[in-house]
Structures are given as C-alpha cells and as structure tokens.
C-alpha cells in the first residue's frame, strides 16, 4: 500500500474487520505506521485482544466504556455511550489532521452515519484532513452512501452467500 489510498469495506456479511486487519498486516510488512480505531462494537470483542498483540507497531483505540455492541444497549446506556463514540470520532479526526500514521483504519465508522451521529460532511472533512499527510484510510460499515463513492479509490463488498450455522 504505497501512496494514499481511500478504501471502504462494506456489507451485511461478517469479515469486514478481518479484511481491514489483512490490509494492516500488509502495511506492517512494509514498515508503515498504523492506527486502528473501533466504533460501535464495545470493548469485549475478542478479535481486538488479538490486535492489541500487534502493539506497538500497530496502535489500537476503542474509547467506548460498554462491553456490548452499541445496538444491544438499552436507550439510556446508548445515550451515555454516544458521547464516548463521538469523542472517538474527534480523536480520529485529530489523527488524520496530524499525520500520526501512514494507515488509519476506522472500523464501523460508516455505522455512525447510519445512526445520525455524524454527517457525510464530517466524513468528507476527515478524508480531506488525511490528505494533508498522505494518510491512507480504510473505513468499514454495513452500508456506503452513494455520495461517498466519488471520494474513495477502492470499494469492497462483503456479503453472506451461505450460512448453515443456525442452531449450532
């Protein structure tokens, strides 16, 4: 991953985070500085424990206080967690503005758009800021707004084709 690339990995299927981590491994093998920031998944996701093992070469951040996914929380706990999530987005903006890394991964950031926590303009600003230092971006989420397509270089869709695990 040489030169600035803006990538979106989206879809209803599982594997978006894993695909983003794969890109991180590629970047690590090239000596790139990576910051991985998680949104909406809570603190208890096991795959994040694995990511923390890649520190200090790859830095991982999750500012959420709750263990569960945001969508699983009752409304009063969602309201409390919302500020932590917005603080995380502001932190991501600062990282993009200051060029602290070569690759910035924003896992499930597109979900913030779906929930109305940020606007598409907020995301455009972050993309613009990342250009100041040629920071590549990877953003994941279930859906990609059509208006975002013109601002990205690579779009990958992850979709479920078959799932025979029901009841197992």
């Amino acid at each position: 991953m040489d030169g600035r690339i803006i990538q979106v990995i989206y879809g209803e299927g599982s594997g978006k985070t894993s695909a983003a981590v794969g890109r991180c491994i590629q970047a690590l093998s090239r000596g790139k500085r990576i910051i991985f920031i998680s949104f909406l998944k809570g603190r208890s996701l096991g795959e994040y424990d694995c990511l923390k093992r890649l520190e200090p070469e790859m830095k991982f951040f999750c500012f959420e206080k709750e263990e569960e996914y945001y969508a699983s929380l009752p409304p009063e706990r969602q309201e409390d967690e919302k500020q932590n999530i917005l603080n995380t987005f502001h932190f991501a903006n600062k990282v993009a503005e200051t060029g602290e890394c070569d690759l910035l991964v924003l896992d499930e950031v597109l979900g913030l758009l779906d929930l109305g926590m940020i606007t598409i303009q907020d995301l455009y600003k972050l993309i613009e800021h990342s250009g100041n230092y040629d920071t590549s971006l990877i953003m994941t989420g279930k859906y990609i707004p059509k208006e975002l397509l013109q601002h990205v270089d690579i779009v990958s869709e992850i979709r479920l084709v078959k799932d025979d695990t029901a009841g197992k």
Side-chain angles (χ1 to χ4, degrees), residues 38-42 62-91 111-119 122:
S38 170
F39 298 92
L40 301 174
K41 290 185 171 181
C62 175
F63 295 159
E64 293 170 46
K65 303 291 185 229
E66 297 285 347
E67 295 292 317
E68 300 94 36
Y69 279 76
Y70 179 81
S72 301
L73 299 173
E76 64 277 1
R77 287 173 53 201
Q78 280 185 349
E79 195 55 40
D80 291 340
E81 191 71 320
K82 184 177 178 180
Q83 190 56 53
N84 296 326
I85 292 167
L86 290 173
N87 288 341
T88 306
F89 186 77
H90 296 309
F91 173 74
L112 302 184
L113 289 170
D114 300 336
L115 293 168
M117 289 187 193
I118 63 170
T119 66
D122 294 328

Coordinates of all heavy atoms in Angstrom, one line a residue, residues 38-42 62-91 111-119 122:
S38 N -11.8 1.6 16.6 CA -13.0 0.9 16.6 C -14.2 1.7 17.0 O -14.1 2.5 18.0 CB -12.9 -0.3 17.5 OG -14.1 -0.9 17.7
F39 N -15.3 1.6 16.4 CA -16.6 2.2 16.7 C -17.7 1.2 16.9 O -17.8 0.2 16.1 CB -17.0 3.2 15.6 CG -16.1 4.3 15.3 CD1 -15.1 4.2 14.4 CD2 -16.1 5.5 16.0 CE1 -14.2 5.2 14.1 CE2 -15.3 6.5 15.8 CZ -14.3 6.4 14.8
L40 N -18.6 1.4 17.8 CA -19.9 0.7 17.9 C -19.9 -0.7 18.3 O -20.9 -1.4 18.4 CB -20.7 0.8 16.6 CG -21.0 2.3 16.1 CD1 -21.7 2.2 14.7 CD2 -21.9 3.0 17.1
K41 N -18.7 -1.3 18.6 CA -18.6 -2.7 18.9 C -18.4 -3.0 20.4 O -18.3 -4.1 20.8 CB -17.5 -3.3 18.1 CG -17.8 -3.4 16.6 CD -16.7 -4.2 15.9 CE -17.1 -4.5 14.5 NZ -16.0 -5.2 13.8
G42 N -18.2 -2.0 21.2 CA -18.0 -2.2 22.6 C -16.5 -2.7 22.8 O -15.7 -2.8 21.9
C62 N -10.1 2.1 21.3 CA -11.6 2.0 21.4 C -11.9 2.8 22.7 O -11.4 2.4 23.8 CB -12.0 0.5 21.6 SG -13.7 0.3 21.9
F63 N -12.6 3.9 22.6 CA -12.9 4.7 23.7 C -14.3 4.4 24.4 O -14.7 5.0 25.3 CB -12.9 6.2 23.3 CG -11.6 6.7 22.9 CD1 -11.5 7.8 22.1 CD2 -10.4 6.1 23.3 CE1 -10.3 8.3 21.7 CE2 -9.2 6.6 22.9 CZ -9.1 7.7 22.1
E64 N -14.9 3.4 23.9 CA -16.2 3.0 24.4 C -16.0 2.4 25.8 O -15.0 1.7 26.0 CB -17.0 2.0 23.5 CG -17.3 2.7 22.2 CD -17.8 1.8 21.1 OE1 -18.7 0.9 21.4 OE2 -17.4 1.9 19.9
K65 N -17.0 2.6 26.7 CA -16.9 2.1 28.0 C -17.7 0.8 28.2 O -17.3 -0.1 29.0 CB -17.5 3.1 29.0 CG -16.8 4.5 29.0 CD -15.4 4.4 29.5 CE -14.8 5.8 29.5 NZ -13.5 5.9 28.9
E66 N -18.7 0.6 27.4 CA -19.6 -0.6 27.5 C -18.9 -1.8 26.9 O -18.1 -1.6 25.9 CB -20.9 -0.3 26.8 CG -21.8 0.8 27.4 CD -22.4 0.4 28.7 OE1 -22.5 -0.8 29.0 OE2 -22.9 1.3 29.4
E67 N -19.3 -2.9 27.3 CA -18.7 -4.2 26.8 C -19.5 -4.6 25.5 O -18.9 -5.2 24.6 CB -18.8 -5.3 27.9 CG -18.0 -5.1 29.1 CD -16.5 -5.1 28.8 OE1 -16.1 -6.0 28.1 OE2 -15.7 -4.3 29.3
E68 N -20.8 -4.3 25.5 CA -21.6 -4.8 24.4 C -21.6 -3.9 23.2 O -21.2 -2.7 23.3 CB -23.1 -5.0 24.9 CG -23.3 -5.9 26.0 CD -23.2 -5.2 27.3 OE1 -23.7 -4.1 27.4 OE2 -22.7 -5.8 28.3
Y69 N -22.1 -4.4 22.1 CA -22.3 -3.6 20.9 C -23.3 -2.5 21.2 O -24.2 -2.6 22.0 CB -23.0 -4.4 19.8 CG -22.0 -5.3 19.0 CD1 -21.5 -6.5 19.5 CD2 -21.7 -4.9 17.7 CE1 -20.6 -7.3 18.8 CE2 -20.8 -5.7 17.0 CZ -20.3 -6.9 17.5 OH -19.4 -7.7 16.8
Y70 N -23.1 -1.3 20.6 CA -23.9 -0.2 20.8 C -25.4 -0.5 20.6 O -26.3 -0.1 21.4 CB -23.5 1.0 19.9 CG -24.3 2.2 20.1 CD1 -24.1 3.1 21.1 CD2 -25.3 2.5 19.1 CE1 -24.8 4.3 21.2 CE2 -26.1 3.7 19.3 CZ -25.8 4.5 20.3 OH -26.6 5.7 20.4
A71 N -25.7 -1.2 19.5 CA -27.1 -1.5 19.1 C -27.7 -2.4 20.2 O -29.0 -2.4 20.3 CB -27.1 -2.2 17.8
S72 N -27.0 -3.1 21.0 CA -27.5 -4.0 22.0 C -27.9 -3.3 23.3 O -28.5 -3.9 24.2 CB -26.6 -5.2 22.3 OG -26.3 -5.9 21.1
L73 N -27.4 -2.1 23.5 CA -27.6 -1.4 24.7 C -29.0 -0.8 24.8 O -29.6 -0.4 23.8 CB -26.6 -0.2 24.8 CG -25.1 -0.6 24.8 CD1 -24.3 0.7 24.8 CD2 -24.8 -1.4 26.1
P74 N -29.6 -0.7 26.1 CA -30.8 0.0 26.2 C -30.6 1.5 26.0 O -29.5 2.0 26.1 CB -31.2 -0.3 27.7 CG -30.0 -0.8 28.3 CD -29.1 -1.3 27.3
P75 N -31.7 2.2 25.6 CA -31.6 3.6 25.2 C -30.8 4.5 26.1 O -30.0 5.3 25.7 CB -33.0 4.1 25.0 CG -33.8 2.8 24.7 CD -33.1 1.7 25.5
E76 N -31.0 4.3 27.5 CA -30.3 5.2 28.4 C -28.8 5.0 28.4 O -28.0 5.9 28.5 CB -30.9 5.1 29.8 CG -30.8 3.7 30.5 CD -31.8 2.7 30.1 OE1 -32.7 3.0 29.3 OE2 -31.7 1.6 30.6
R77 N -28.4 3.7 28.2 CA -27.0 3.4 28.1 C -26.4 3.8 26.8 O -25.2 4.2 26.7 CB -26.7 1.9 28.4 CG -26.9 1.7 29.9 CD -26.8 0.2 30.3 NE -25.6 -0.5 29.9 CZ -25.6 -1.8 29.8 NH1 -26.6 -2.6 30.1 NH2 -24.5 -2.4 29.4
Q78 N -27.2 3.8 25.7 CA -26.8 4.2 24.4 C -26.5 5.7 24.5 O -25.5 6.2 23.9 CB -27.9 4.0 23.3 CG -27.9 2.6 22.8 CD -28.9 2.5 21.7 OE1 -29.7 3.4 21.4 NE2 -28.8 1.3 21.0
E79 N -27.3 6.5 25.2 CA -27.1 7.9 25.3 C -25.8 8.2 25.9 O -25.0 9.1 25.5 CB -28.3 8.6 26.0 CG -28.3 10.1 25.9 CD -28.4 10.6 24.4 OE1 -29.1 9.9 23.6 OE2 -27.7 11.6 24.1
D80 N -25.5 7.5 27.0 CA -24.2 7.7 27.7 C -23.0 7.4 26.8 O -22.0 8.0 26.8 CB -24.1 6.9 29.0 CG -25.1 7.4 30.1 OD1 -25.5 8.6 30.0 OD2 -25.4 6.6 31.0
E81 N -23.1 6.2 26.1 CA -22.1 5.8 25.2 C -21.9 6.6 24.0 O -20.8 6.7 23.4 CB -22.3 4.3 24.8 CG -21.2 3.6 24.2 CD -20.0 3.3 25.1 OE1 -19.7 4.1 26.0 OE2 -19.5 2.2 25.0
K82 N -22.9 7.3 23.5 CA -22.8 8.1 22.3 C -21.7 9.2 22.4 O -21.0 9.4 21.5 CB -24.2 8.8 22.1 CG -24.2 9.6 20.8 CD -25.6 10.2 20.6 CE -25.7 11.1 19.4 NZ -27.0 11.6 19.2
Q83 N -21.6 9.8 23.6 CA -20.5 10.8 23.7 C -19.1 10.2 23.6 O -18.2 10.8 23.0 CB -20.6 11.5 25.1 CG -19.7 12.7 25.2 CD -19.9 13.7 24.0 OE1 -21.0 14.2 23.8 NE2 -18.9 14.1 23.3
N84 N -18.9 9.0 24.1 CA -17.7 8.3 24.0 C -17.4 8.0 22.5 O -16.2 8.1 22.1 CB -17.7 7.0 24.8 CG -17.8 7.2 26.3 OD1 -17.3 8.1 26.8 ND2 -18.5 6.3 26.9
I85 N -18.4 7.6 21.8 CA -18.2 7.3 20.4 C -17.9 8.6 19.6 O -17.0 8.6 18.7 CB -19.5 6.6 19.8 CG1 -19.6 5.3 20.4 CG2 -19.5 6.6 18.3 CD1 -21.0 4.6 20.2
L86 N -18.6 9.7 19.9 CA -18.2 11.0 19.3 C -16.8 11.4 19.6 O -16.1 12.0 18.7 CB -19.3 12.0 19.6 CG -20.7 11.8 19.0 CD1 -21.7 12.8 19.6 CD2 -20.6 11.9 17.5
N87 N -16.4 11.2 20.8 CA -15.0 11.6 21.2 C -14.0 10.7 20.4 O -13.0 11.2 20.0 CB -14.8 11.3 22.7 CG -15.5 12.4 23.6 OD1 -15.9 13.4 23.1 ND2 -15.7 12.0 24.8
T88 N -14.4 9.5 20.1 CA -13.5 8.6 19.3 C -13.4 9.2 17.9 O -12.3 9.2 17.3 CB -14.1 7.2 19.3 OG1 -14.3 6.7 20.6 CG2 -13.2 6.3 18.5
F89 N -14.5 9.7 17.4 CA -14.5 10.2 16.0 C -13.7 11.5 16.0 O -12.9 11.7 15.0 CB -15.9 10.5 15.5 CG -15.9 11.0 14.1 CD1 -15.8 10.1 13.0 CD2 -16.0 12.3 13.8 CE1 -15.7 10.5 11.7 CE2 -16.0 12.8 12.4 CZ -15.9 11.9 11.4
H90 N -13.8 12.3 17.0 CA -12.9 13.6 17.1 C -11.5 13.2 17.2 O -10.6 13.8 16.6 CB -13.4 14.4 18.3 CG -14.8 15.0 18.1 ND1 -15.2 15.6 17.0 CD2 -15.8 14.9 19.0 CE1 -16.5 16.0 17.2 NE2 -16.9 15.5 18.4
F91 N -11.2 12.1 17.9 CA -9.8 11.6 18.0 C -9.3 11.2 16.6 O -8.2 11.5 16.2 CB -9.7 10.5 19.0 CG -8.4 9.8 19.1 CD1 -7.3 10.4 19.6 CD2 -8.2 8.6 18.5 CE1 -6.0 9.8 19.7 CE2 -7.0 7.9 18.5 CZ -5.9 8.6 19.1
G111 N -21.2 3.1 10.3 CA -22.4 3.0 11.1 C -22.8 4.3 11.8 O -23.9 4.5 12.2
L112 N -21.8 5.2 12.1 CA -22.1 6.5 12.7 C -23.0 7.3 11.8 O -23.8 8.1 12.3 CB -20.8 7.2 13.0 CG -19.8 6.5 13.9 CD1 -18.6 7.4 14.2 CD2 -20.4 6.0 15.2
L113 N -22.8 7.2 10.5 CA -23.6 7.8 9.5 C -25.1 7.3 9.6 O -26.0 8.0 9.7 CB -23.1 7.7 8.1 CG -21.9 8.4 7.7 CD1 -21.4 7.9 6.3 CD2 -22.1 9.9 7.7
D114 N -25.2 5.9 9.6 CA -26.5 5.3 9.7 C -27.3 5.7 10.9 O -28.5 5.9 10.9 CB -26.3 3.8 9.7 CG -25.6 3.2 8.5 OD1 -25.6 3.9 7.4 OD2 -25.0 2.1 8.6
L115 N -26.6 5.9 12.0 CA -27.2 6.3 13.3 C -27.4 7.8 13.4 O -27.9 8.3 14.4 CB -26.4 5.8 14.5 CG -26.3 4.3 14.6 CD1 -25.3 3.8 15.6 CD2 -27.7 3.7 15.0
G116 N -26.9 8.6 12.5 CA -27.0 10.0 12.5 C -26.1 10.7 13.5 O -26.3 11.9 13.9
M117 N -25.1 10.0 14.0 CA -24.1 10.6 15.0 C -23.2 11.6 14.3 O -22.7 12.5 14.9 CB -23.3 9.5 15.6 CG -24.1 8.7 16.6 SD -23.0 7.6 17.5 CE -24.1 6.5 18.3
I118 N -22.8 11.3 13.0 CA -22.0 12.2 12.2 C -22.7 12.4 10.9 O -23.6 11.6 10.5 CB -20.6 11.7 12.0 CG1 -20.6 10.4 11.2 CG2 -19.8 11.5 13.3 CD1 -19.2 9.9 10.7
T119 N -22.3 13.4 10.1 CA -22.8 13.7 8.8 C -21.8 13.2 7.8 O -20.6 13.0 8.1 CB -23.1 15.2 8.6 OG1 -21.9 15.9 8.6 CG2 -24.1 15.7 9.7
D122 N -19.0 15.5 7.8 CA -17.9 15.2 8.8 C -16.9 14.2 8.3 O -15.7 14.3 8.5 CB -18.6 14.6 10.1 CG -19.5 15.6 10.8 OD1 -19.2 16.8 10.8 OD2 -20.5 15.1 11.4

